Amino acid sequence: MKNFAGSLRPLLLWRRWVGGLGVLLAQAGHAQNLFQGQEALFTPPLSYVVQHTTQALTLDGNLNEGDWQRAPWTSDFVDIEGAAKPRPTYPTRVKMLWNDSTLFIGASLQEPQLWATQTHHDDIIFKDNDFEVFIDPDNDTHQYFEIEVNQLGNIFDLFLPKPYRNGGDALVSWDAPGLRTGLRLAGTLNQPRDQDQGWTVEMAVPLKALHVGYDWHAPAEGTRWRINFSRVEWDVRATPTGYQKQLSASGQPLPEHNWVWSPQGVINMHYPERWGYLQFTRQAGTPFQLPYAEQQKPYLWLVYYRQQQYLAQHQRYATTLAELALPPQVTLGAQVNQLQLAATASQFAATITAAGHPTIRLNQEGLVQTLKP
């Protein structure tokens, strides 16, 4: 049941999103702006430049060492769908550090009601209020990692060979070897008679733990990963014996709130192309730099999203860009980029090429590859 419960939520949300995309695509096909109607899926991901540390950090949730104090906070989390939705009720923010072996994550979550019920490793932690980390070290949307923690400090960690939307099945048996966490609760857990202030998470993720099936390389100066953070928040009410989730008129728990660092644009964390950027540095004051390839990729994702809708409508993929109402050339900055599509009824590969830059390819499973010249 764990595998089923872990995959059901994103799968249902993916089906609901694809079903509603038809109207958006019909509008976009007649618009000069290729992204019109889908703007939420193409907002620029946020970025964080993580500083190197040589300081010994105590995993206690206090974040009071000097390097932690100097590390900048992210902006406050927003609704998973983005700016069109109300801002979260309670602030959440994150900061990060790294050393030669570890990525350190510190998170501050304001919370007036501290409670947790999931008590075992690899329980479905998002049944509680939780904090979640998603990491794709090679930025290809496949072979990525998810780590969840609740206010008891229990961990749900899993590896995904590919997203659920592409038929991926979470490997719950994967554990992040060497993972360490520390929590600080500002309040009392599972005590509804008082009002709490919040909780702080401190997490040490071994860098070598974040690879399965491919060679591991330590981050170099300027290395970029994709990363995002999510907070699941349930509406609860206090009772004489604890907390209970608030129910709808049908007697089911109200849907959870999903608050994230970099907005996904859709109620689904398993769109790795929508995650933020993490850039590693050893030099103070280093700015984030967005590679040209990352500016090209949205056009490939536009092909991908339109192909999913075309498949839903016609039971096959489009074999030409014209069927998707997309042009063969797009201008990015001062450069003309060639957009090409090779497809059969059941498969496709889209590429984008600009002079002086490697060709980038994306296929029907959402796998992103940079092709060698």
Side-chain angles (χ1 to χ4, degrees), residues 111-119 127-129 150-154 185-196 198 236-244:
E111 174 58 67
Q113 298 169 315
L114 295 174
W115 63 275
T117 63
Q118 304 301 304
T119 58
K127 291 181 178 179
D128 292 344
N129 291 346
N150 68 0
Q151 292 160 21
L152 284 167
N154 284 310
L185 303 183
T188 53
L189 189 67
N190 294 328
Q191 294 293 331
R193 295 183 181 86
D194 59 12
Q195 181 164 317
D196 306 308
V236 298
R237 64 182 184 89
T239 73
T241 58
Y243 293 103
Q244 290 184 353

PDB file of all heavy atoms in Angstrom, residues 111-119 127-129 150-154 185-196 198 236-244:
ATOM      1  N   GLU A 111       4.290  27.602  12.712  1.00  0.00           N
ATOM      2  CA  GLU A 111       3.193  26.639  12.859  1.00  0.00           C
ATOM      3  C   GLU A 111       2.571  26.763  14.252  1.00  0.00           C
ATOM      4  O   GLU A 111       3.246  26.524  15.253  1.00  0.00           O
ATOM      5  CB  GLU A 111       3.722  25.217  12.653  1.00  0.00           C
ATOM      6  CG  GLU A 111       2.710  24.116  12.916  1.00  0.00           C
ATOM      7  CD  GLU A 111       1.482  24.259  12.046  1.00  0.00           C
ATOM      8  OE1 GLU A 111       1.608  24.099  10.821  1.00  0.00           O
ATOM      9  OE2 GLU A 111       0.400  24.553  12.604  1.00  0.00           O
ATOM     10  N   PRO A 112       1.288  27.136  14.350  1.00  0.00           N
ATOM     11  CA  PRO A 112       0.661  27.286  15.664  1.00  0.00           C
ATOM     12  C   PRO A 112       0.177  25.977  16.280  1.00  0.00           C
ATOM     13  O   PRO A 112      -0.214  25.962  17.451  1.00  0.00           O
ATOM     14  CB  PRO A 112      -0.518  28.211  15.372  1.00  0.00           C
ATOM     15  CG  PRO A 112      -0.887  27.905  13.960  1.00  0.00           C
ATOM     16  CD  PRO A 112       0.403  27.592  13.266  1.00  0.00           C
ATOM     17  N   GLN A 113       0.182  24.872  15.511  1.00  0.00           N
ATOM     18  CA  GLN A 113      -0.328  23.599  16.014  1.00  0.00           C
ATOM     19  C   GLN A 113       0.635  22.484  15.612  1.00  0.00           C
ATOM     20  O   GLN A 113       0.598  21.980  14.491  1.00  0.00           O
ATOM     21  CB  GLN A 113      -1.730  23.322  15.449  1.00  0.00           C
ATOM     22  CG  GLN A 113      -2.764  24.366  15.873  1.00  0.00           C
ATOM     23  CD  GLN A 113      -4.066  24.234  15.106  1.00  0.00           C
ATOM     24  OE1 GLN A 113      -4.078  24.069  13.888  1.00  0.00           O
ATOM     25  NE2 GLN A 113      -5.180  24.309  15.823  1.00  0.00           N
ATOM     26  N   LEU A 114       1.501  22.105  16.525  1.00  0.00           N
ATOM     27  CA  LEU A 114       2.473  21.051  16.251  1.00  0.00           C
ATOM     28  C   LEU A 114       1.833  19.689  16.520  1.00  0.00           C
ATOM     29  O   LEU A 114       1.366  19.426  17.626  1.00  0.00           O
ATOM     30  CB  LEU A 114       3.712  21.234  17.127  1.00  0.00           C
ATOM     31  CG  LEU A 114       4.552  22.494  16.864  1.00  0.00           C
ATOM     32  CD1 LEU A 114       5.661  22.614  17.896  1.00  0.00           C
ATOM     33  CD2 LEU A 114       5.130  22.478  15.454  1.00  0.00           C
ATOM     34  N   TRP A 115       1.820  18.843  15.499  1.00  0.00           N
ATOM     35  CA  TRP A 115       1.255  17.505  15.667  1.00  0.00           C
ATOM     36  C   TRP A 115       1.851  16.569  14.619  1.00  0.00           C
ATOM     37  O   TRP A 115       2.278  16.995  13.549  1.00  0.00           O
ATOM     38  CB  TRP A 115      -0.277  17.512  15.540  1.00  0.00           C
ATOM     39  CG  TRP A 115      -0.763  17.935  14.179  1.00  0.00           C
ATOM     40  CD1 TRP A 115      -0.968  19.214  13.735  1.00  0.00           C
ATOM     41  CD2 TRP A 115      -1.078  17.077  13.069  1.00  0.00           C
ATOM     42  NE1 TRP A 115      -1.392  19.211  12.423  1.00  0.00           N
ATOM     43  CE2 TRP A 115      -1.471  17.912  11.988  1.00  0.00           C
ATOM     44  CE3 TRP A 115      -1.069  15.695  12.882  1.00  0.00           C
ATOM     45  CZ2 TRP A 115      -1.853  17.397  10.749  1.00  0.00           C
ATOM     46  CZ3 TRP A 115      -1.446  15.182  11.643  1.00  0.00           C
ATOM     47  CH2 TRP A 115      -1.837  16.036  10.594  1.00  0.00           C
ATOM     48  N   ALA A 116       1.887  15.296  14.938  1.00  0.00           N
ATOM     49  CA  ALA A 116       2.369  14.280  14.005  1.00  0.00           C
ATOM     50  C   ALA A 116       1.863  12.925  14.463  1.00  0.00           C
ATOM     51  O   ALA A 116       1.710  12.673  15.666  1.00  0.00           O
ATOM     52  CB  ALA A 116       3.896  14.287  13.931  1.00  0.00           C
ATOM     53  N   THR A 117       1.601  12.043  13.493  1.00  0.00           N
ATOM     54  CA  THR A 117       1.069  10.712  13.799  1.00  0.00           C
ATOM     55  C   THR A 117       1.862   9.588  13.161  1.00  0.00           C
ATOM     56  O   THR A 117       1.753   8.438  13.595  1.00  0.00           O
ATOM     57  CB  THR A 117      -0.394  10.594  13.319  1.00  0.00           C
ATOM     58  OG1 THR A 117      -0.433  10.741  11.885  1.00  0.00           O
ATOM     59  CG2 THR A 117      -1.271  11.665  13.957  1.00  0.00           C
ATOM     60  N   GLN A 118       2.639   9.878  12.109  1.00  0.00           N
ATOM     61  CA  GLN A 118       3.372   8.830  11.392  1.00  0.00           C
ATOM     62  C   GLN A 118       4.680   8.554  12.137  1.00  0.00           C
ATOM     63  O   GLN A 118       5.543   9.419  12.235  1.00  0.00           O
ATOM     64  CB  GLN A 118       3.642   9.254   9.955  1.00  0.00           C
ATOM     65  CG  GLN A 118       2.384   9.638   9.178  1.00  0.00           C
ATOM     66  CD  GLN A 118       1.381   8.500   9.096  1.00  0.00           C
ATOM     67  OE1 GLN A 118       1.696   7.404   8.639  1.00  0.00           O
ATOM     68  NE2 GLN A 118       0.164   8.756   9.560  1.00  0.00           N
ATOM     69  N   THR A 119       4.825   7.332  12.645  1.00  0.00           N
ATOM     70  CA  THR A 119       5.883   7.046  13.611  1.00  0.00           C
ATOM     71  C   THR A 119       6.992   6.144  13.087  1.00  0.00           C
ATOM     72  O   THR A 119       7.969   5.905  13.803  1.00  0.00           O
ATOM     73  CB  THR A 119       5.280   6.388  14.864  1.00  0.00           C
ATOM     74  OG1 THR A 119       4.594   5.186  14.476  1.00  0.00           O
ATOM     75  CG2 THR A 119       4.303   7.329  15.556  1.00  0.00           C
ATOM     76  N   LYS A 127       0.886  12.389   5.103  1.00  0.00           N
ATOM     77  CA  LYS A 127      -0.384  12.338   5.828  1.00  0.00           C
ATOM     78  C   LYS A 127      -0.359  13.286   7.023  1.00  0.00           C
ATOM     79  O   LYS A 127      -1.407  13.644   7.558  1.00  0.00           O
ATOM     80  CB  LYS A 127      -0.673  10.912   6.299  1.00  0.00           C
ATOM     81  CG  LYS A 127      -0.989   9.934   5.170  1.00  0.00           C
ATOM     82  CD  LYS A 127      -1.296   8.553   5.718  1.00  0.00           C
ATOM     83  CE  LYS A 127      -1.652   7.573   4.609  1.00  0.00           C
ATOM     84  NZ  LYS A 127      -1.939   6.212   5.139  1.00  0.00           N
ATOM     85  N   ASP A 128       0.843  13.651   7.470  1.00  0.00           N
ATOM     86  CA  ASP A 128       1.039  14.675   8.498  1.00  0.00           C
ATOM     87  C   ASP A 128       1.453  15.976   7.820  1.00  0.00           C
ATOM     88  O   ASP A 128       1.789  16.003   6.629  1.00  0.00           O
ATOM     89  CB  ASP A 128       2.164  14.267   9.458  1.00  0.00           C
ATOM     90  CG  ASP A 128       1.825  13.071  10.326  1.00  0.00           C
ATOM     91  OD1 ASP A 128       0.631  12.729  10.429  1.00  0.00           O
ATOM     92  OD2 ASP A 128       2.766  12.481  10.894  1.00  0.00           O
ATOM     93  N   ASN A 129       1.480  17.073   8.584  1.00  0.00           N
ATOM     94  CA  ASN A 129       2.209  18.248   8.122  1.00  0.00           C
ATOM     95  C   ASN A 129       3.671  17.850   7.973  1.00  0.00           C
ATOM     96  O   ASN A 129       4.237  17.200   8.858  1.00  0.00           O
ATOM     97  CB  ASN A 129       2.092  19.394   9.127  1.00  0.00           C
ATOM     98  CG  ASN A 129       0.692  19.973   9.188  1.00  0.00           C
ATOM     99  OD1 ASN A 129      -0.144  19.721   8.320  1.00  0.00           O
ATOM    100  ND2 ASN A 129       0.426  20.764  10.217  1.00  0.00           N
ATOM    101  N   ASN A 150       8.596  14.634   9.153  1.00  0.00           N
ATOM    102  CA  ASN A 150       7.505  15.226   9.935  1.00  0.00           C
ATOM    103  C   ASN A 150       8.043  15.742  11.262  1.00  0.00           C
ATOM    104  O   ASN A 150       9.259  15.724  11.520  1.00  0.00           O
ATOM    105  CB  ASN A 150       6.356  14.234  10.125  1.00  0.00           C
ATOM    106  CG  ASN A 150       6.717  13.050  11.025  1.00  0.00           C
ATOM    107  OD1 ASN A 150       7.837  12.936  11.543  1.00  0.00           O
ATOM    108  ND2 ASN A 150       5.770  12.141  11.211  1.00  0.00           N
ATOM    109  N   GLN A 151       7.153  16.207  12.122  1.00  0.00           N
ATOM    110  CA  GLN A 151       7.584  16.856  13.361  1.00  0.00           C
ATOM    111  C   GLN A 151       8.062  15.869  14.418  1.00  0.00           C
ATOM    112  O   GLN A 151       8.589  16.285  15.455  1.00  0.00           O
ATOM    113  CB  GLN A 151       6.447  17.735  13.894  1.00  0.00           C
ATOM    114  CG  GLN A 151       6.176  18.931  12.987  1.00  0.00           C
ATOM    115  CD  GLN A 151       4.806  19.537  13.180  1.00  0.00           C
ATOM    116  OE1 GLN A 151       4.167  19.359  14.214  1.00  0.00           O
ATOM    117  NE2 GLN A 151       4.328  20.255  12.169  1.00  0.00           N
ATOM    118  N   LEU A 152       7.919  14.572  14.168  1.00  0.00           N
ATOM    119  CA  LEU A 152       8.535  13.551  15.010  1.00  0.00           C
ATOM    120  C   LEU A 152       9.951  13.228  14.553  1.00  0.00           C
ATOM    121  O   LEU A 152      10.654  12.455  15.206  1.00  0.00           O
ATOM    122  CB  LEU A 152       7.692  12.267  14.990  1.00  0.00           C
ATOM    123  CG  LEU A 152       6.407  12.281  15.814  1.00  0.00           C
ATOM    124  CD1 LEU A 152       5.534  11.088  15.448  1.00  0.00           C
ATOM    125  CD2 LEU A 152       6.729  12.275  17.300  1.00  0.00           C
ATOM    126  N   GLY A 153      10.349  13.793  13.416  1.00  0.00           N
ATOM    127  CA  GLY A 153      11.664  13.496  12.862  1.00  0.00           C
ATOM    128  C   GLY A 153      11.704  12.226  12.048  1.00  0.00           C
ATOM    129  O   GLY A 153      12.791  11.767  11.670  1.00  0.00           O
ATOM    130  N   ASN A 154      10.544  11.649  11.738  1.00  0.00           N
ATOM    131  CA  ASN A 154      10.521  10.433  10.926  1.00  0.00           C
ATOM    132  C   ASN A 154      10.675  10.775   9.451  1.00  0.00           C
ATOM    133  O   ASN A 154      10.155  11.787   8.974  1.00  0.00           O
ATOM    134  CB  ASN A 154       9.227   9.656  11.169  1.00  0.00           C
ATOM    135  CG  ASN A 154       9.268   8.919  12.493  1.00  0.00           C
ATOM    136  OD1 ASN A 154      10.220   8.211  12.785  1.00  0.00           O
ATOM    137  ND2 ASN A 154       8.242   9.105  13.306  1.00  0.00           N
ATOM    138  N   LEU A 185      11.585  22.024  18.057  1.00  0.00           N
ATOM    139  CA  LEU A 185      10.167  22.365  18.137  1.00  0.00           C
ATOM    140  C   LEU A 185       9.992  23.557  19.070  1.00  0.00           C
ATOM    141  O   LEU A 185      10.399  23.500  20.232  1.00  0.00           O
ATOM    142  CB  LEU A 185       9.350  21.182  18.654  1.00  0.00           C
ATOM    143  CG  LEU A 185       9.451  19.869  17.866  1.00  0.00           C
ATOM    144  CD1 LEU A 185       8.526  18.822  18.479  1.00  0.00           C
ATOM    145  CD2 LEU A 185       9.132  20.083  16.398  1.00  0.00           C
ATOM    146  N   ALA A 186       9.401  24.619  18.555  1.00  0.00           N
ATOM    147  CA  ALA A 186       9.070  25.781  19.388  1.00  0.00           C
ATOM    148  C   ALA A 186       7.623  25.617  19.832  1.00  0.00           C
ATOM    149  O   ALA A 186       6.694  26.204  19.273  1.00  0.00           O
ATOM    150  CB  ALA A 186       9.268  27.076  18.611  1.00  0.00           C
ATOM    151  N   GLY A 187       7.433  24.757  20.830  1.00  0.00           N
ATOM    152  CA  GLY A 187       6.099  24.432  21.310  1.00  0.00           C
ATOM    153  C   GLY A 187       6.069  23.002  21.805  1.00  0.00           C
ATOM    154  O   GLY A 187       7.110  22.378  22.034  1.00  0.00           O
ATOM    155  N   THR A 188       4.874  22.468  21.958  1.00  0.00           N
ATOM    156  CA  THR A 188       4.694  21.112  22.474  1.00  0.00           C
ATOM    157  C   THR A 188       3.962  20.274  21.442  1.00  0.00           C
ATOM    158  O   THR A 188       2.938  20.693  20.897  1.00  0.00           O
ATOM    159  CB  THR A 188       3.899  21.133  23.789  1.00  0.00           C
ATOM    160  OG1 THR A 188       2.677  21.856  23.586  1.00  0.00           O
ATOM    161  CG2 THR A 188       4.702  21.812  24.884  1.00  0.00           C
ATOM    162  N   LEU A 189       4.483  19.092  21.170  1.00  0.00           N
ATOM    163  CA  LEU A 189       3.934  18.228  20.129  1.00  0.00           C
ATOM    164  C   LEU A 189       2.679  17.517  20.623  1.00  0.00           C
ATOM    165  O   LEU A 189       2.654  16.971  21.732  1.00  0.00           O
ATOM    166  CB  LEU A 189       4.988  17.202  19.713  1.00  0.00           C
ATOM    167  CG  LEU A 189       4.667  16.342  18.494  1.00  0.00           C
ATOM    168  CD1 LEU A 189       4.624  17.193  17.233  1.00  0.00           C
ATOM    169  CD2 LEU A 189       5.707  15.227  18.347  1.00  0.00           C
ATOM    170  N   ASN A 190       1.638  17.538  19.790  1.00  0.00           N
ATOM    171  CA  ASN A 190       0.389  16.812  20.059  1.00  0.00           C
ATOM    172  C   ASN A 190      -0.277  17.243  21.364  1.00  0.00           C
ATOM    173  O   ASN A 190      -0.905  16.435  22.053  1.00  0.00           O
ATOM    174  CB  ASN A 190       0.642  15.295  20.071  1.00  0.00           C
ATOM    175  CG  ASN A 190       1.052  14.771  18.706  1.00  0.00           C
ATOM    176  OD1 ASN A 190       0.627  15.283  17.672  1.00  0.00           O
ATOM    177  ND2 ASN A 190       1.900  13.748  18.699  1.00  0.00           N
ATOM    178  N   GLN A 191      -0.144  18.520  21.696  1.00  0.00           N
ATOM    179  CA  GLN A 191      -0.792  19.079  22.883  1.00  0.00           C
ATOM    180  C   GLN A 191      -1.688  20.236  22.444  1.00  0.00           C
ATOM    181  O   GLN A 191      -1.231  21.368  22.285  1.00  0.00           O
ATOM    182  CB  GLN A 191       0.253  19.565  23.891  1.00  0.00           C
ATOM    183  CG  GLN A 191       1.104  18.469  24.498  1.00  0.00           C
ATOM    184  CD  GLN A 191       0.294  17.546  25.391  1.00  0.00           C
ATOM    185  OE1 GLN A 191      -0.704  17.956  25.994  1.00  0.00           O
ATOM    186  NE2 GLN A 191       0.706  16.288  25.478  1.00  0.00           N
ATOM    187  N   PRO A 192      -2.984  19.995  22.234  1.00  0.00           N
ATOM    188  CA  PRO A 192      -3.856  21.026  21.663  1.00  0.00           C
ATOM    189  C   PRO A 192      -4.238  22.141  22.629  1.00  0.00           C
ATOM    190  O   PRO A 192      -4.863  23.115  22.218  1.00  0.00           O
ATOM    191  CB  PRO A 192      -5.096  20.229  21.247  1.00  0.00           C
ATOM    192  CG  PRO A 192      -5.123  19.061  22.175  1.00  0.00           C
ATOM    193  CD  PRO A 192      -3.685  18.710  22.432  1.00  0.00           C
ATOM    194  N   ARG A 193      -3.875  22.027  23.895  1.00  0.00           N
ATOM    195  CA  ARG A 193      -4.321  23.030  24.867  1.00  0.00           C
ATOM    196  C   ARG A 193      -3.535  24.335  24.767  1.00  0.00           C
ATOM    197  O   ARG A 193      -3.942  25.346  25.325  1.00  0.00           O
ATOM    198  CB  ARG A 193      -4.206  22.463  26.289  1.00  0.00           C
ATOM    199  CG  ARG A 193      -5.136  21.288  26.566  1.00  0.00           C
ATOM    200  CD  ARG A 193      -5.013  20.820  28.010  1.00  0.00           C
ATOM    201  NE  ARG A 193      -5.874  19.680  28.276  1.00  0.00           N
ATOM    202  CZ  ARG A 193      -5.534  18.424  28.055  1.00  0.00           C
ATOM    203  NH1 ARG A 193      -4.339  18.149  27.556  1.00  0.00           N
ATOM    204  NH2 ARG A 193      -6.369  17.437  28.321  1.00  0.00           N
ATOM    205  N   ASP A 194      -2.387  24.318  24.080  1.00  0.00           N
ATOM    206  CA  ASP A 194      -1.594  25.542  23.973  1.00  0.00           C
ATOM    207  C   ASP A 194      -1.395  25.899  22.506  1.00  0.00           C
ATOM    208  O   ASP A 194      -1.773  25.154  21.605  1.00  0.00           O
ATOM    209  CB  ASP A 194      -0.246  25.386  24.685  1.00  0.00           C
ATOM    210  CG  ASP A 194       0.579  24.228  24.114  1.00  0.00           C
ATOM    211  OD1 ASP A 194       0.218  23.697  23.043  1.00  0.00           O
ATOM    212  OD2 ASP A 194       1.584  23.852  24.735  1.00  0.00           O
ATOM    213  N   GLN A 195      -0.808  27.056  22.280  1.00  0.00           N
ATOM    214  CA  GLN A 195      -0.502  27.490  20.920  1.00  0.00           C
ATOM    215  C   GLN A 195       1.004  27.457  20.722  1.00  0.00           C
ATOM    216  O   GLN A 195       1.759  27.966  21.545  1.00  0.00           O
ATOM    217  CB  GLN A 195      -1.034  28.900  20.650  1.00  0.00           C
ATOM    218  CG  GLN A 195      -0.759  29.370  19.216  1.00  0.00           C
ATOM    219  CD  GLN A 195      -1.589  30.573  18.830  1.00  0.00           C
ATOM    220  OE1 GLN A 195      -2.778  30.637  19.123  1.00  0.00           O
ATOM    221  NE2 GLN A 195      -0.964  31.538  18.180  1.00  0.00           N
ATOM    222  N   ASP A 196       1.427  26.852  19.630  1.00  0.00           N
ATOM    223  CA  ASP A 196       2.844  26.691  19.345  1.00  0.00           C
ATOM    224  C   ASP A 196       3.327  27.800  18.410  1.00  0.00           C
ATOM    225  O   ASP A 196       2.540  28.593  17.886  1.00  0.00           O
ATOM    226  CB  ASP A 196       3.085  25.316  18.720  1.00  0.00           C
ATOM    227  CG  ASP A 196       2.526  24.189  19.588  1.00  0.00           C
ATOM    228  OD1 ASP A 196       2.865  24.161  20.787  1.00  0.00           O
ATOM    229  OD2 ASP A 196       1.740  23.371  19.072  1.00  0.00           O
ATOM    230  N   GLY A 198       6.264  27.058  16.025  1.00  0.00           N
ATOM    231  CA  GLY A 198       6.765  26.507  14.778  1.00  0.00           C
ATOM    232  C   GLY A 198       7.812  25.443  15.004  1.00  0.00           C
ATOM    233  O   GLY A 198       8.012  24.962  16.120  1.00  0.00           O
ATOM    234  N   VAL A 236      -6.598  21.482  10.554  1.00  0.00           N
ATOM    235  CA  VAL A 236      -6.971  20.622  11.675  1.00  0.00           C
ATOM    236  C   VAL A 236      -7.737  21.439  12.710  1.00  0.00           C
ATOM    237  O   VAL A 236      -7.721  22.670  12.702  1.00  0.00           O
ATOM    238  CB  VAL A 236      -5.728  19.981  12.334  1.00  0.00           C
ATOM    239  CG1 VAL A 236      -4.995  19.085  11.349  1.00  0.00           C
ATOM    240  CG2 VAL A 236      -4.788  21.043  12.889  1.00  0.00           C
ATOM    241  N   ARG A 237      -8.386  20.726  13.603  1.00  0.00           N
ATOM    242  CA  ARG A 237      -9.051  21.364  14.738  1.00  0.00           C
ATOM    243  C   ARG A 237      -8.625  20.653  16.011  1.00  0.00           C
ATOM    244  O   ARG A 237      -8.346  19.443  16.014  1.00  0.00           O
ATOM    245  CB  ARG A 237     -10.572  21.329  14.587  1.00  0.00           C
ATOM    246  CG  ARG A 237     -11.179  19.939  14.577  1.00  0.00           C
ATOM    247  CD  ARG A 237     -12.684  19.994  14.379  1.00  0.00           C
ATOM    248  NE  ARG A 237     -13.291  18.660  14.461  1.00  0.00           N
ATOM    249  CZ  ARG A 237     -13.717  18.114  15.589  1.00  0.00           C
ATOM    250  NH1 ARG A 237     -13.609  18.781  16.738  1.00  0.00           N
ATOM    251  NH2 ARG A 237     -14.256  16.907  15.591  1.00  0.00           N
ATOM    252  N   ALA A 238      -8.557  21.421  17.078  1.00  0.00           N
ATOM    253  CA  ALA A 238      -8.168  20.860  18.368  1.00  0.00           C
ATOM    254  C   ALA A 238      -9.354  20.145  19.003  1.00  0.00           C
ATOM    255  O   ALA A 238     -10.498  20.607  18.940  1.00  0.00           O
ATOM    256  CB  ALA A 238      -7.663  21.962  19.286  1.00  0.00           C
ATOM    257  N   THR A 239      -9.088  18.998  19.612  1.00  0.00           N
ATOM    258  CA  THR A 239     -10.087  18.250  20.375  1.00  0.00           C
ATOM    259  C   THR A 239      -9.510  18.001  21.768  1.00  0.00           C
ATOM    260  O   THR A 239      -8.313  18.219  22.004  1.00  0.00           O
ATOM    261  CB  THR A 239     -10.406  16.905  19.695  1.00  0.00           C
ATOM    262  OG1 THR A 239      -9.295  16.011  19.871  1.00  0.00           O
ATOM    263  CG2 THR A 239     -10.685  17.096  18.206  1.00  0.00           C
ATOM    264  N   PRO A 240     -10.309  17.531  22.700  1.00  0.00           N
ATOM    265  CA  PRO A 240      -9.773  17.270  24.047  1.00  0.00           C
ATOM    266  C   PRO A 240      -8.632  16.253  24.061  1.00  0.00           C
ATOM    267  O   PRO A 240      -7.818  16.248  24.986  1.00  0.00           O
ATOM    268  CB  PRO A 240     -10.995  16.744  24.810  1.00  0.00           C
ATOM    269  CG  PRO A 240     -12.164  17.359  24.106  1.00  0.00           C
ATOM    270  CD  PRO A 240     -11.776  17.389  22.661  1.00  0.00           C
ATOM    271  N   THR A 241      -8.554  15.402  23.035  1.00  0.00           N
ATOM    272  CA  THR A 241      -7.541  14.346  23.036  1.00  0.00           C
ATOM    273  C   THR A 241      -6.432  14.556  22.006  1.00  0.00           C
ATOM    274  O   THR A 241      -5.505  13.757  21.939  1.00  0.00           O
ATOM    275  CB  THR A 241      -8.206  12.983  22.766  1.00  0.00           C
ATOM    276  OG1 THR A 241      -8.900  13.045  21.508  1.00  0.00           O
ATOM    277  CG2 THR A 241      -9.187  12.643  23.878  1.00  0.00           C
ATOM    278  N   GLY A 242      -6.514  15.597  21.203  1.00  0.00           N
ATOM    279  CA  GLY A 242      -5.485  15.801  20.188  1.00  0.00           C
ATOM    280  C   GLY A 242      -5.996  16.664  19.055  1.00  0.00           C
ATOM    281  O   GLY A 242      -6.820  17.559  19.258  1.00  0.00           O
ATOM    282  N   TYR A 243      -5.510  16.388  17.855  1.00  0.00           N
ATOM    283  CA  TYR A 243      -5.914  17.138  16.671  1.00  0.00           C
ATOM    284  C   TYR A 243      -6.625  16.210  15.695  1.00  0.00           C
ATOM    285  O   TYR A 243      -6.284  15.031  15.575  1.00  0.00           O
ATOM    286  CB  TYR A 243      -4.696  17.754  15.976  1.00  0.00           C
ATOM    287  CG  TYR A 243      -4.000  18.828  16.781  1.00  0.00           C
ATOM    288  CD1 TYR A 243      -2.807  18.551  17.448  1.00  0.00           C
ATOM    289  CD2 TYR A 243      -4.528  20.104  16.871  1.00  0.00           C
ATOM    290  CE1 TYR A 243      -2.157  19.533  18.184  1.00  0.00           C
ATOM    291  CE2 TYR A 243      -3.889  21.092  17.602  1.00  0.00           C
ATOM    292  CZ  TYR A 243      -2.709  20.802  18.255  1.00  0.00           C
ATOM    293  OH  TYR A 243      -2.079  21.774  18.983  1.00  0.00           O
ATOM    294  N   GLN A 244      -7.604  16.761  14.983  1.00  0.00           N
ATOM    295  CA  GLN A 244      -8.293  16.023  13.934  1.00  0.00           C
ATOM    296  C   GLN A 244      -8.323  16.866  12.671  1.00  0.00           C
ATOM    297  O   GLN A 244      -8.508  18.087  12.734  1.00  0.00           O
ATOM    298  CB  GLN A 244      -9.728  15.680  14.351  1.00  0.00           C
ATOM    299  CG  GLN A 244      -9.828  14.632  15.444  1.00  0.00           C
ATOM    300  CD  GLN A 244     -11.280  14.255  15.738  1.00  0.00           C
ATOM    301  OE1 GLN A 244     -12.211  14.868  15.214  1.00  0.00           O
ATOM    302  NE2 GLN A 244     -11.465  13.248  16.573  1.00  0.00           N
TER     303      GLN A 244
END
